[in-house]
Amino acid sequence: MGDVHFSRERAGKVVVLIFFWTLSLISLSCAARLSVSRQKLQVQNHLNRLNKPAVKTIQSPDGDIIDCVHLARQPAFDHPFLKDHKIQMRPSYHPEGLFDESKVSDTEKPKKGSNPITQLWHMNGKCPEGTIPIRRTKEEDVLRASSVKSYGRKKHRATPQPRSADPDLINESGHQHAIAYVEGDKYYGAKATINVWEPKIQQPNEFSLSQLWILGGSFGEDLNSIEAGWQVSPDLYGDNNTRLFTYWTSDAYQATGCYNLLCSGFIQINSEIAMGASISPVSAYRNSQYDISILVWKDPKEGHWWMQFGNDYVLGYWPSFLFSYLADSASMIEWGGEVVNSEPDGRHTSTQMGSGRFPEEGFGKSSYFRNIQVVDDSNNLKAPKGLGTFTEQSNCYDVQTGSNGDWGHYFYYGGPGKNPNCP
């Protein structure tokens, strides 16, 4: 009898346990469904904020959708400080002494194909005057990010800090650089002509970019940075295309700033160039070389930071109120390459920087920056004084500077990443 009573009691306990187990499974599955639908709602709300109503839509051959959005409807004007902002349609002043491309001798000039460098979407149409082209953000773009909040943002401590090649810093941030830089003065802009390549990326969460940095403040929590150049970033764009990009932050990549037009900040005025769109054509090893020139400068009258792409396209400006230190001037300018190395345990990625070749290989093989200049306090473009170089691991990525009459101050940079000397 005792045994029967005992087994009934045990059976009762098992039933109760099964009941609670089933209940917890149901509640877990409800919570998971709730979490998924909450995330979907977050993503949808974010897409609604980013993708403004289009006057016209253009399908790019690379799969991008370009929306032609009315100037006054662009994401910048979601910023509370820009509600009553009067758009400046042109800078009050251009820097004096713009480098004259016609002076470059034919031997040193990159061999252009018959078509000048452009953006792929131009093949299928253009945006009307009074609108700006914006690359449409898709649901899968946002879902690739670790969170809705982190979409379109660089990770903290992504700026090269010369003279701090502390191995802990390298491994902690995972970012590696090969740059030239100037510091110790007040700078009001920078210019460079950048060789364009399509470096190979090992992991989707890594990137390779070539850019200029305009920096103010310390490398602590208050760093101000304006950045522009080209990048390959599968995580951000979903492919391996080389794309024009900009970035800004006023607090060392913590809460402010973003790539391109993925938050309020940069005010675009140009109807022909889309931030984040693919650049075409790109350079090939021992073949035609292509480059883009980028100029960023502070308008002495209004104080905004303007950006120009090539000789013809003034793209727009970052209003000076976005910044603290850069509201006055920059204290450091950097030019060069950056990659993310996500390999663990001190191993190295094979993500390429620049062309994936070391600087000593030279023109047609290694990637370059040429005619690098800074803007001084009289709004003149000048050669950089006291140009330094910096790389964390020169056997993975390196940099070599030079100067001559045609290219002014220049440098070759980059490398293959993982190789016998960089395991």
Side-chain angles (χ1 to χ4, degrees):
M1 258 329 254
D3 283 350
V4 173
H5 177 70
F6 177 70
S7 60
R8 270 197 197 135
E9 199 176 90
R10 198 158 57 177
K13 278 181 181 168
V14 168
V15 168
V16 169
L17 277 171
I18 289 170
F19 173 72
F20 280 114
W21 182 68
T22 311
L23 206 61
S24 65
L25 272 183
I26 290 167
S27 59
L28 272 173
S29 122
C30 285
R33 273 207 295 272
L34 202 65
S35 160
V36 167
S37 61
R38 193 183 292 123
Q39 189 200 25
K40 258 190 132 41
L41 188 65
Q42 268 186 323
V43 169
Q44 203 47 58
N45 287 342
H46 199 58
L47 290 173
N48 292 342
R49 270 197 303 276
L50 289 176
N51 296 324
K52 304 299 183 187
V55 172
K56 176 182 176 181
T57 291
I58 297 161
Q59 183 77 49
S60 176
D62 60 358
D64 278 1
I65 296 169
I66 302 295
D67 288 324
C68 305
V69 173
H70 193 277
L71 262 173
R73 302 290 296 272
Q74 63 182 294
F77 297 108
D78 292 343
H79 198 293
F81 288 7
L82 287 170
K83 287 286 179 245
D84 303 314
H85 181 81
K86 187 175 186 310
I87 302 176
Q88 226 185 307
M89 290 309 290
R90 61 181 61 82
S92 309
Y93 295 96
H94 246 82
E96 296 298 317
L98 269 175
F99 186 81
D100 186 357
E101 281 288 337
S102 63
K103 288 182 190 160
V104 177
S105 73
D106 285 339
T107 53
E108 286 290 350
K109 204 172 265 187
K111 295 168 188 62
K112 306 279 187 194
S114 52
N115 48 340
I117 210 152
T118 180
Q119 292 191 306
L120 272 178
W121 66 275
H122 290 166
M123 292 166 71
N124 290 346
K126 57 185 200 173
C127 284
E129 280 297 311
T131 69
I132 64 160
I134 302 181
R135 179 184 183 270
R136 187 183 298 178
T137 302
K138 298 172 182 165
E139 186 178 12
E140 57 265 32
D141 293 334
V142 183
L143 291 174
R144 276 192 306 273
S146 54
S147 70
V148 170
K149 201 175 169 196
S150 68
Y151 171 66
R153 296 194 158 169
K154 276 192 181 183
K155 289 180 177 64
H156 195 24
R157 292 183 89 167
T159 311
Q161 187 175 353
R163 298 181 310 284
S164 70
D166 165 4
D168 294 341
L169 180 70
I170 297 164
N171 294 335
E172 184 189 329
S173 69
H175 289 245
Q176 285 190 255
H177 309 86
I179 63 159
Y181 68 94
V182 288
E183 62 179 341
D185 205 347
K186 286 188 163 192
Y187 306 101
Y188 296 84
K191 184 173 190 283
T193 298
I194 312 172
N195 198 193
V196 179
W197 292 80
E198 194 174 276
K200 291 189 170 51
I201 313 297
Q202 184 183 308
Q203 306 281 358
N205 64 335
E206 297 177 340
F207 65 60
S208 181
L209 55 75
S210 298
Q211 66 168 67
L212 55 83
W213 287 260
I214 290 175
L215 302 166
S218 69
F219 284 86
E221 307 298 292
D222 59 357
L223 182 76
N224 288 198
S225 183
I226 289 174
E227 307 169 26
W230 61 257
Q231 70 180 159
V232 177
S233 176
D235 214 22
L236 188 57
Y237 302 106
D239 60 25
N240 290 291
N241 291 356
T242 301
R243 295 167 175 275
L244 174 72
F245 83 95
T246 60
Y247 199 92
W248 71 273
T249 179
S250 61
D251 63 355
Y253 309 95
Q254 293 175 95
T256 62
C258 59
Y259 282 110
N260 307 325
L261 302 180
L262 296 175
C263 65
S264 309
F266 187 82
I267 297 172
Q268 184 160 334
I269 58 164
N270 183 283
S271 64
E272 294 177 79
I273 300 295
M275 302 289 198
S278 300
I279 297 171
S280 177
V282 297
S283 305
Y285 182 71
R286 284 181 150 166
N287 209 317
S288 296
Q289 297 300 298
Y290 296 91
D291 54 28
I292 57 173
S293 88
I294 287 175
L295 165 67
V296 175
W297 82 101
K298 195 175 197 329
D299 185 333
K301 187 170 176 226
E302 302 291 339
H304 306 319
W305 288 90
W306 284 81
M307 176 177 168
Q308 180 170 313
F309 175 74
N311 292 329
D312 306 316
Y313 304 110
V314 174
L315 296 192
Y317 57 96
W318 289 270
S320 61
F321 77 79
L322 294 173
F323 306 101
S324 49
Y325 295 98
L326 289 179
D328 173 49
S329 61
S331 52
M332 188 171 200
I333 307 287
E334 298 176 344
W335 302 263
E338 176 184 357
V339 299
V340 170
N341 175 24
S342 63
E343 288 291 292
D345 310 324
R347 293 199 306 274
H348 209 283
T349 179
S350 59
T351 285
Q352 299 174 331
M353 181 191 291
S355 67
R357 301 279 175 158
F358 282 114
E360 47 271 24
E361 294 204 37
F363 187 80
K365 300 168 189 172
S366 178
S367 188
Y368 61 80
F369 277 62
R370 64 179 173 92
N371 304 110
I372 62 175
Q373 293 171 292
V374 295
V375 180
D376 68 9
D377 56 3
S378 305
N379 201 33
N380 288 311
L381 274 159
K382 292 273 169 69
K385 272 199 192 87
L387 192 65
T389 60
F390 170 76
T391 178
E392 288 94 346
Q393 292 176 283
S394 58
N395 48 352
C396 307
Y397 311 106
D398 206 2
V399 55
Q400 286 180 7
T401 58
S403 65
N404 63 34
D406 286 319
W407 278 25
H409 282 70
Y410 67 87
F411 61 89
Y412 286 97
Y413 71 102
K418 186 176 182 169
N419 70 77
N421 299 317
C422 169

